[in-house]
Amino acid sequence: QYLTVLVDKVEKICEAYGQRNDSMVMCMTGCPNGCARPYLAEVAFVGKVLSSYLMLLGGGYYGRRLNKIYRGSVSEPEILAILRPMIKRYALERLEGEHFGDFLIRSGYIATTTEGEN
């Protein structure tokens, strides 16, 4: 249920940079087994302990590319501090039709997953 709170805060950041109507695939789960498919989202959080999340980036918008671990343990203030400059840069530098996960890879925030853990 916390995801809705976080999404509201991320949407405010998106609105500030004119990205309110662009969709971003975001997933949050408390279970590391992957049932909620966090490993396919452009931005994902897997709960480690209360208010601390594994942050993953770079999954495919259509669920055809796995994301990768970006940070091992982040809190809400850290999540927002990390995403704010990424979203700002996305608003300024994205290619036409480019999704957020693709932008994160193209701009060097995270490497693309080619196979297995690579």
Side-chain angles (χ1 to χ4, degrees):
Q1 293 180 346
Y2 168 70
L3 180 60
T4 57
V5 173
L6 180 63
V7 166
D8 286 344
K9 293 177 181 187
V10 172
E11 282 180 345
K12 286 186 173 108
I13 295 170
C14 291
E15 286 175 4
Y17 297 113
Q19 302 299 304
R20 175 67 170 108
N21 295 321
D22 295 321
S23 61
M24 177 189 306
V25 179
M26 186 179 291
C27 183
M28 179 178 276
T29 183
C31 175
N33 293 332
C35 300
R37 298 186 175 189
Y39 307 110
L40 296 175
E42 293 177 292
V43 180
F45 306 97
V46 178
K48 296 177 76 175
V49 295
L50 187 62
S51 300
S52 180
Y53 303 91
L54 178 70
M55 183 176 190
L56 303 106
L57 298 176
Y61 181 81
Y62 297 103
R64 295 186 203 127
R65 180 182 60 238
L66 294 172
N67 53 29
K68 288 190 176 195
I69 296 171
Y70 182 73
R71 295 276 168 88
S73 183
V74 293
S75 63
E76 180 188 289
E78 292 169 311
I79 290 168
L80 298 174
I82 289 166
L83 288 178
R84 184 178 309 279
M86 289 178 179
I87 292 168
K88 178 181 181 180
R89 190 170 168 200
Y90 176 62
L92 296 171
E93 300 175 17
R94 72 186 282 200
L95 303 175
E96 187 174 337
E98 185 174 40
H99 294 287
F100 192 63
D102 299 327
F103 171 78
L104 293 173
I105 291 168
R106 182 177 62 80
S107 59
Y109 285 107
I110 197 93
T112 189
T113 300
T114 54
E115 59 182 58
E117 294 181 9
N118 292 330

